[in-house]
């Protein structure tokens, strides 16, 4: 049963994915901190490495001048709507606490 679901999900990802990006630990930990300590009015979120990397990446894409060309290629601007899905909590609670408190 799991194999069928995996193949089905992979079919969609393979068909509709625009590309992939490789991120370093600094992007991942930035995402973990951002989600744990959000802007005023937003609820905090406990998210581990795999779940938080997209938040860290989106932040880097939006704020880092070095990402300007990639941001433009992706069509990412102030009018963009982006959906991030975190599928992981703090699978290593001690490491999560170290990251978000630092």
């Amino acid at each position: 049963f799991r194999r069928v679901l995996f193949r089905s999900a992979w079919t969609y990802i393979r068909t509709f994915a625009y590309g992939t990006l490789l991120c370093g630990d600094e992007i991942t930990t930035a995402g973990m901190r951002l989600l744990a300590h959000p802007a005023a009015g937003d609820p905090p979120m406990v998210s581990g490495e795999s779940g938080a990397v997209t938040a860290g990446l989106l932040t880097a894409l939006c704020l880092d001048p070095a990402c300007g060309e990639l941001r433009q290629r992706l069509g990412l601007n102030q009018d963009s709507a982006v959906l991030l899905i975190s599928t992981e909590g703090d699978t290593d609670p001690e490491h999560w606490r170290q990251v978000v408190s630092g």
Side-chain angles (χ1 to χ4, degrees):
F1 181 70
R2 285 180 175 219
R3 178 174 272 170
V4 171
L5 288 177
F6 177 76
R7 286 183 183 166
S8 177
W10 177 243
T11 300
Y12 288 108
I13 293 169
R14 183 181 59 226
T15 302
F16 296 106
Y18 180 75
T20 59
L21 295 168
L22 177 65
C23 300
D25 290 343
E26 68 280 357
I27 297 291
T28 300
T29 56
M32 291 168 71
R33 286 186 194 107
L34 174 69
L35 294 174
H37 307 289
D42 289 339
M45 182 177 177
V46 175
S47 184
E49 292 86 348
S50 296
V53 68
T54 54
L57 176 59
L58 182 60
T59 301
L61 287 172
C62 291
L63 300 179
D64 188 341
C67 294
E69 182 180 338
L70 180 55
R71 185 172 47 248
Q72 186 175 19
R73 286 182 58 202
L74 293 171
L76 187 60
N77 60 45
Q78 66 275 4
D79 297 320
S80 296
V82 179
L83 172 65
L84 302 178
I85 300 172
S86 174
T87 59
E88 176 187 65
D90 58 345
T91 56
D92 183 346
E94 180 59 33
H95 181 254
W96 182 86
R97 279 190 293 278
Q98 289 174 352
V99 168
V100 301
S101 66

